[in-house]
Amino acid sequence: MQTIIQSLSENVQIIYRKSIDADHIISRLQQDGKGKFSAIFGKDAGFKTSSRLFKPYVEELANEVLALNQQDQVTVKQHLPQIVKKIELILKTLNQFQKTAR
C-alpha cells in the first residue's frame, strides 16, 4: 500500500509544478481582463475547494494523499478511486490549459 501512496504523492508533485505555471498564466490573463471565470472545476468534480487558481485544488489533493498514511488499508482502498479521479481530472485540465495558453 505504501508503494501506491508514494506513487500518488509523486503525481501530486508533478501536478504542483504544472499548477504553478498555470496559475501564473491565469493571473496574467485576469490582469489583462481575460479569464473571467469563478472556478476551474464545477461543484460536481468532487472537490470541496472552489477557486480561480489551481493551487487550492492541489493543496486539497495533497492533504488527502497525506491523510492516507494515517488510515487503515480498508479506508485507503475506499478513498483511492476518488483520489485517482481527482488526479486524472487535474492533470487532464492542466494539460488542456497549457495547450490552449500557448
Side-chain angles (χ1 to χ4, degrees):
M1 198 53 68
Q2 276 307 118
T3 306
I4 293 171
I5 295 172
Q6 177 62 32
S7 179
L8 293 172
S9 296
E10 290 169 5
N11 279 300
V12 171
Q13 290 174 3
I14 292 167
I15 290 168
Y16 176 73
R17 285 188 219 100
K18 288 183 174 208
S19 72
I20 290 172
D21 294 336
D23 284 349
H24 285 293
I25 294 169
I26 291 170
S27 294
R28 278 197 322 247
L29 288 171
Q30 289 175 345
Q31 287 174 354
D32 293 342
K34 301 174 185 171
K36 297 183 182 195
F37 54 90
S38 60
I40 293 174
F41 299 110
K43 296 186 187 301
D44 61 339
F47 290 96
K48 296 173 188 157
T49 301
S50 180
S51 176
R52 300 167 117 181
L53 300 174
F54 283 97
K55 185 178 178 187
Y57 295 104
V58 177
E59 289 173 349
E60 178 181 326
L61 179 62
N63 289 332
E64 289 178 14
V65 172
L66 283 174
L68 293 177
N69 287 316
Q70 282 76 44
Q71 297 173 347
D72 60 80
Q73 196 167 4
V74 173
T75 307
V76 170
K77 286 181 181 180
Q78 290 173 343
H79 287 94
L80 275 178
Q82 181 182 13
I83 291 173
V84 170
K85 179 183 171 188
K86 287 180 179 181
I87 288 173
E88 290 174 343
L89 181 61
I90 291 177
L91 279 173
K92 180 180 175 183
T93 305
L94 279 167
N95 288 334
Q96 288 175 341
F97 178 76
Q98 288 174 340
K99 286 178 185 175
T100 58
R102 292 181 184 163

